[in-house]
Amino acid sequence: MALGNRSTITEFFLLGLSVNPHIQALFFVLFLNIYLLTIMGNLLLLLVIRADSHLHTPMYFFLSHLSFLDFCLSSATVPRMLKDLLSEIKTISVRGCLAQGFFVFITAGTEAFLLSVMAYDRYAAICHPLLYGQMMRKQLCVQLVLGSWGLSFLNALINILLAANLDFCESHTINHYSCEVPSLFPLSCSDVSTNLLVLLCSTLLHGLGTFFPIISSYGCIVSTILHISSTSGRSKAFSTCSSHLIAVIFFYGSGFLRYLVPTSGSPLELIFSMQYGMITPMLNPLIYSLKNKEVKAAARRTLGTYLPCSR
């Protein structure tokens, strides 16, 4: 271990998605459009939920926070990636890299908690409709959101502080388009066994701690739906949670795999990161608006208010 080299690394080189200038130009156009759709979709959904009193319910309260999280998660990585696609030198300081990793960690982690909370909300609405108002009080909803942010902040802080104590003295090339905690470990000449153990345990606790409530909630929901005698009743009950179920599949199908699979520089790591960090935030507003009659009706009312000529 070369002690004399430990202080030499002050910045990292992000390898990105491709070194071919023509492919980089195509990627820039593609991901710029994805980012613009993400920003417009989530901000529009936030506006509609805030402006329409019909959507001032626990379900849409959580959905508004999900839209804000998707906006933040995408903004934590995509603007930097777009800049790098137009730059010859794709460097980022060690502190900047750790900061980006922190924001990715906290927003993705909060989204996992929030999806779990939204599953409980759907459980209360479908399985206990008469007690729904008591089970999902406004004060409880606020506490659940704040708790999601707080636990994710603690999880991100622990992992980032451990990463900040690593010495980087060998390779400074990150085989990725952004700084995520797992990508830093192969670059360190320190012992990363503690970092790997903490990351694995925190990811498993975070993942299982949020995924099991979702499974339990949907187990009860399916059981309740199957006991509904009318076909229309079953269809209506299922439609209220289908959007959330699709969002869960998209997010969990890639997010936790990214942090559980050992870093190897595989293209799958880039795909997993793009799926939960770019594609899912873009799709969530579409999923919740196209499959939700209340949101579509509220959007028409809101646009009619702000754009009278559209009436």
Side-chain angles (χ1 to χ4, degrees), residues 54-65:
H54 296 86
L55 302 184
H56 293 177
T57 63
M59 174 182 172
Y60 295 107
F61 172 76
F62 295 133
L63 181 55
S64 66
H65 282 274

Side-chain angles (χ1 to χ4, degrees), residues 9 11 31 39 68 92 100 142 159 173-174 201 210 214 233 253 261 275 278 282 291 302:
I9 300 298
E11 61 184 16
F31 292 119
I39 298 304
F68 177 70
I92 184 171
Q100 187 181 60
V142 173
N159 281 279
T173 300
I174 298 178
C201 291
T210 54
I214 293 175
V261 175
Q275 173 64 49
M278 286 190 279
M282 178 190 69
K291 294 183 65 64
T302 303

Side-chain angles (χ1 to χ4, degrees), residues 45-285:
L45 192 55
L46 275 169
L47 172 64
V48 169
I49 292 173
R50 183 173 181 82
D52 197 289
S53 60
H54 296 86
L55 302 184
H56 293 177
T57 63
M59 174 182 172
Y60 295 107
F61 172 76
F62 295 133
L63 181 55
S64 66
H65 282 274
L66 181 66
S67 292
F68 177 70
L69 281 168
D70 283 334
F71 169 82
C72 293
L73 178 57
S74 184
S75 297
T77 59
V78 180
R80 174 83 200 195
M81 184 190 70
L82 292 174
K83 172 184 171 295
D84 287 342
L85 285 171
L86 298 179
S87 305
E88 292 185 9
I89 302 176
K90 304 173 176 61
T91 58
I92 184 171
S93 67
V94 173
R95 289 185 177 181
C97 188
L98 291 171
Q100 187 181 60
F102 175 80
F103 285 114
V104 170
F105 220 112
I106 190 174
T107 51
T110 305
E111 183 155 338
F113 275 116
L114 193 61
L115 287 171
S116 183
V117 168
M118 293 172 74
Y120 175 73
D121 173 73
R122 293 300 83 209
Y123 158 77
I126 294 174
C127 300
H128 303 284
L130 299 180
L131 299 175
Y132 180 71
Q134 298 178 14
M135 295 176 67
M136 301 305 298
R137 302 182 307 276
K138 183 177 181 179
Q139 183 181 5
L140 176 62
C141 294
V142 173
Q143 290 172 346
L144 288 171
V145 170
L146 292 178
S148 298
W149 277 102
L151 291 172
S152 298
F153 175 83
L154 181 62
N155 189 23
L157 185 64
I158 291 172
N159 281 279
I160 292 299
L161 287 178
L162 286 172
N165 288 324
L166 295 176
D167 293 310
F168 302 99
C169 54
E170 296 178 0
S171 171
H172 67 289
T173 300
I174 298 178
N175 190 23
H176 208 280
Y177 63 83
S178 68
C179 287
E180 294 182 352
V181 174
S183 300
L184 299 179
F185 298 154
L187 308 182
S188 176
C189 53
S190 306
D191 180 13
V192 297
S193 57
T194 300
N195 299 72
L196 288 169
L197 181 61
V198 171
L199 179 65
L200 177 63
C201 291
S202 64
T203 303
L204 286 174
L205 286 172
H206 201 135
L208 297 178
T210 54
F211 192 63
F212 278 161
I214 293 175
I215 296 297
S216 301
S217 296
Y218 275 103
C220 296
I221 288 170
V222 170
S223 177
T224 300
I225 290 176
L226 291 177
H227 284 85
I228 298 176
S229 56
S230 67
T231 304
S232 60
R234 286 197 298 269
S235 177
K236 183 179 179 181
F238 180 75
S239 66
T240 63
C241 57
S242 60
S243 299
H244 174 261
L245 189 57
I246 294 172
V248 167
I249 293 171
F250 273 119
F251 184 80
Y252 278 86
S254 56
F256 284 101
L257 284 175
R258 173 67 183 100
Y259 285 86
L260 289 175
V261 175
T263 301
S264 61
S266 167
L268 277 177
E269 295 171 13
L270 295 174
I271 294 173
F272 289 151
S273 294
M274 285 189 287
Q275 173 64 49
Y276 84 83
M278 286 190 279
I279 307 302
T280 299
M282 178 190 69
L283 292 178
N284 276 345

